[in-house]
Amino acid sequence: MWWHLLPLSILAALGAAAAPTCSSAPSTLHLPDAPYDNFFYSDCNTAVQVVVTTPQPDSNLSLISPRLVIAWPAGNSGVCTYFAPQNGVNGSLGIEVVNSTVGTPLAATYGDSNTTSGNDTTPFYGVTGTIRFNSSAILTVPILGSIRTIRDFVEGPSLLRPQIQDSINASSLSNGGALLERLWLDNVTSTHLNFTPATSGSVTVGKNNTLTFEAGDYIFTAQFNYPQLKQLSPAQVLTNTSTGLIQQDPERTSALSFLSYSTKLLAGAWRFLTYFGRDSMISALLLEPILSKGENGAMEAVIASVLERINRTDGSVCHEETIGDYATWLNENQYGLYSTEAQCDYKMVDSDFYLPVLMNKYFVEDPVGRTRAGAFLNTSAGAFNTSNGDLNYLQMAAINAERIMNLAAPFAGQSNQTKDNLVHLKDGQIVGEWRDSTYGIGGGRIPYDVNTALMPAALRAIASLARNDFFANQTQWAELADEYAQVWEDETLSFFRVTVPESDAKQLVSSYAQTIDFTGPNKTDTIDGDVIYHALALDGNNNQSQVLVMNTDDCFRHFLLNTTASQHQLTAFMNQTANNIRRTFPAGLLTDAGMIVANPAYGKDPVYAANWTRGAYHGTVIWSWPLAMMAKGLEQQLGRCETTNSSAGHSNHARIRIPDFCQDATVYDNVKTAYNALWDSIEANQAQLSQEVWSWTYDSSNDQFLPTPLGVMPPPPGSSSQTESDIRQLWSLTFLAVTRNTSFR
């Protein structure tokens, strides 16, 4: 029936079925980031993001075209439509969402399931608004169903799956509009998208589900009948002592709420509106001071979501869940089965190590967590995967801890400190940690962050949990895990250490700057000694024994560990991190736009400059969360110089003497200078900090790096597509909790 496509306010006036009444007003956000315009709407019934893309005068028209994306956290579901100018002149069509009598600019829709065909009783939830075309347009490509399906098209080689596309039906409406609808592969859920003229004009249905629009305003409505998630309000996602942030920082707290739900926190909007284990746990560790604790709190939602999805056969942590329509498609195409059962991706090796660190942070170090441990860990683990229902959360945690102990044992053995005994990527995988793009770690098999920081940090946490009786059947872990950790802390850095003599370093940077046609100063004058950094990975492409890319992954060790034994190694490590942060790109990591996550200037093979570019997802670009983790990590290390009883990162509450680097005035001042240089850059880029990742362009006239959206940058050579950034990313909201320590100025 026609009325299930109307906004709630009109439905109520008509006496039609209405959604459950919400006790508070809807939450809305408008976040422009040309060429993308982002709108968020959520209430007690539903949550949705709408993204409008329209070319700008300086847009690369091979990458940017008119597009409307509507994304729901529920089921990681969505709609995507591409438009083209009817006159065929590329770049002439502009689209925008505007305020209207329908919404300002968005409003929720609701429809009783009985108003449509199908046997499901789930109501239709959706969103409506008004879209304006500056000239006549053609809707060329519609995609309805799953965000993963949309990502396959946007980020892949324009990949469309006939099994999904062929089930889209287009029809004309009596009011001059048109309807696109698709029944999901589960034969129950359906997605509807309709356009109707706001005043004048018409929509014409053509071949292959194309729609033609005259210039003007059109009301669009998108909805689907899939169970919605229970969102946590800003007050529910924050501790009672942190709710002042809602008034102080309404935009970021609203964004955090949009990504926070009772059963999980979501990675990012719009491309990752679902569970990602690594993202959730890194976010929780950095947001821990302000994240709500206790039953129904955000911290327990994160930990529970990870425990629910552990692979019980080997203890691996789920990296990404596959749910909704895409899960049905995957089950059929991978296994030949008709099933709506959710799936998990277990290819990452780094996610496993965050879990014990987070559990120790909450259940041992936090007073609220300590009181909740018994009840929480006795919870059945079958909510996400019913096959795990015979195990509880504590048993799932023990399976994960056992995996880590087994991986740690070979390297920790006497005289066993060899490369072969380090943690490798899983067989057949080219990715395995946070730099999970094709060239993120240059084909390396042995990642730097996992081996030098995540493994020893997880072992320290397991030792602490064991001392607090979490693993009753493994009491020996209390001492054994600490013994293992000490070996991993002390003996892994040397495998990744890279030393470039001063003269070679200057030559390499100068050559690299010319290779990439960098128009700014090459900063070789700041290289005043040998350049030292740690390789991204070992055993890379082209038979590279080390992947020779300077990087930010020192932050893991600074944030997660307080090493105690090798003081000489610690002093050198602190100093080289500070040097690399202080120096400006291309000599180092710093730019006016932020600290870049990878600098290939010191790699001799031309492949480095080719693969780590300003358009590469993990290239010479800026990610928000490494800024936060590096800032917090350096603060923690400097804080060790202020006290003799620091226990951060160690959990055994032993008295730790002040590290030697604190008494070395040159090194200490160098670290403090780097800390402040980093924070100066962070504070200069407040507008970008909540985004997932951004790039830069260089303005020679002002001698300045300018922040630039990643999605408008040319992709690396050989890449068939570009990756755009999420406007809001969970782990990019961590600056709500990570703030500058002015005592170190």
Side-chain angles (χ1 to χ4, degrees), residues 233-239 242-254 736:
S233 68
Q236 290 172 320
V237 80
L238 297 171
T239 63
S242 300
T243 53
L245 290 169
I246 298 172
Q247 296 298 322
Q248 298 169 25
D249 202 335
E251 187 270 297
R252 283 194 292 187
T253 52
S254 293
L736 281 165

Side-chain angles (χ1 to χ4, degrees), residues 14-67:
L14 293 172
T21 302
C22 297
S23 60
S24 58
S27 174
T28 61
L29 276 178
H30 177 210
L31 302 173
D33 186 37
Y36 312 105
D37 207 8
N38 297 265
F39 303 88
F40 294 82
Y41 179 98
S42 60
D43 58 24
C44 67
N45 296 306
T46 191
V48 64
Q49 179 185 2
V50 173
V51 188
V52 178
T53 308
T54 194
Q56 304 298 296
D58 60 347
S59 290
N60 181 340
L61 298 180
S62 66
L63 299 174
I64 303 299
S65 56
R67 182 190 69 182

